[in-house]
Amino acid sequence: MNKINNTISVNSSIKETLRKMSDLGEKCLLVVDKNKFIGTLSDGDIRKALLKNINLNKKIRNLYNQKAYYVFKKNYNEENLKKTFLNKKFDIIPVLNNDK
């Protein structure tokens, strides 16, 4: 499991998010609100917003995937997670504690 800080606040701007993705070399970040996981935001989500001429200073609040796939740590099974990655072609699958 990757333990880098690949989270971004729901109140972050698109520009801040792009900078963090670039600094980390990640295509997808975990969106959090008050330290709780609430979804994922991919570079593709941002591309779609840019094509709609959304300002880079706008918050990511309406851009992220609120129905992102995740698993709880107690249900974590590495083999099943690998199969899910391959079958669904996900960029990231968060493994969360009970408090998200």
Side-chain angles (χ1 to χ4, degrees):
M1 286 186 293
N2 200 351
K3 296 217 180 209
I4 62 170
N5 185 12
N6 57 349
T7 62
I8 194 83
S9 168
V10 70
N11 296 312
S12 297
S13 70
I14 296 171
K15 188 174 186 176
E16 291 169 321
T17 304
L18 283 170
R19 186 174 290 121
K20 185 156 190 176
M21 283 180 170
S22 180
D23 289 348
L24 294 175
E26 296 289 337
K27 296 187 324 180
C28 190
L29 296 176
L30 306 178
V31 181
V32 295
D33 187 19
K34 298 177 185 155
N35 290 323
K36 300 270 187 196
F37 172 78
I38 59 171
T40 59
L41 183 70
S42 71
D43 56 353
D45 297 324
I46 293 174
R47 271 195 309 275
K48 289 174 192 170
L50 294 175
L51 289 171
K52 293 177 183 176
N53 293 319
I54 293 179
N55 187 303
L56 288 176
N57 294 316
K58 290 277 189 185
K59 305 292 184 203
I60 62 169
R61 184 167 295 282
N62 296 321
L63 302 180
Y64 72 95
N65 177 6
Q66 297 177 24
K67 296 179 181 178
Y69 184 86
Y70 62 89
V71 296
F72 285 108
K73 192 172 186 175
K74 65 182 177 182
N75 300 329
Y76 173 76
N77 176 297
E78 191 168 345
E79 279 305 309
N80 288 342
L81 217 51
K82 284 180 184 179
K83 288 177 187 175
T84 302
F85 262 116
L86 294 173
N87 291 335
K88 301 280 186 181
K89 299 180 181 170
F90 288 136
D91 290 326
I92 190 169
I93 299 177
V95 179
L96 308 173
N97 65 22
N98 289 340
D99 296 327
K100 285 192 164 187

